[in-house]
Amino acid sequence: MMTYSTPSGQEQVTKPVPWAKRFRAKAGEFLSISAQNEGSGTISCTITVDGKVIKRAKSSGEYTIAACDAMLGVG
């Protein structure tokens, strides 16, 4: 299960992984995503801006959560 926050609000989805969401955001906006493992293994999340990774997290274990958040820089 993934919970993510974009400039238009927070949403929660249950999708098979890998999963991606694309949208437009402006400087100064806050972005976040958390992904929960539905059993054992490893789960990860990544926030990229214009192809550049700005935040990445990974977590392993049973029903574990990986969380990423970032404030978009100005300019």
Side-chain angles (χ1 to χ4, degrees):
M1 174 184 310
M2 280 72 66
T3 301
Y4 62 95
S5 178
T6 69
S8 60
Q10 188 176 52
E11 295 186 38
Q12 193 171 65
V13 295
T14 301
K15 302 277 184 178
V17 291
W19 174 82
K21 173 77 174 175
R22 291 178 182 240
F23 55 89
R24 294 190 183 273
K26 298 176 185 170
E29 292 180 324
F30 180 77
L31 308 174
S32 70
I33 183 168
S34 63
Q36 182 175 9
N37 192 347
E38 293 292 323
S40 62
T42 301
I43 191 83
S44 63
C45 61
T46 305
I47 295 176
T48 60
V49 175
D50 296 329
K52 181 181 175 186
V53 174
I54 60 171
K55 193 71 169 196
R56 178 177 284 151
K58 183 190 300 185
S59 188
S60 297
E62 195 168 345
Y63 298 100
T64 190
I65 296 174
C68 297
D69 58 50
M71 179 71 72
L72 295 185
V74 178

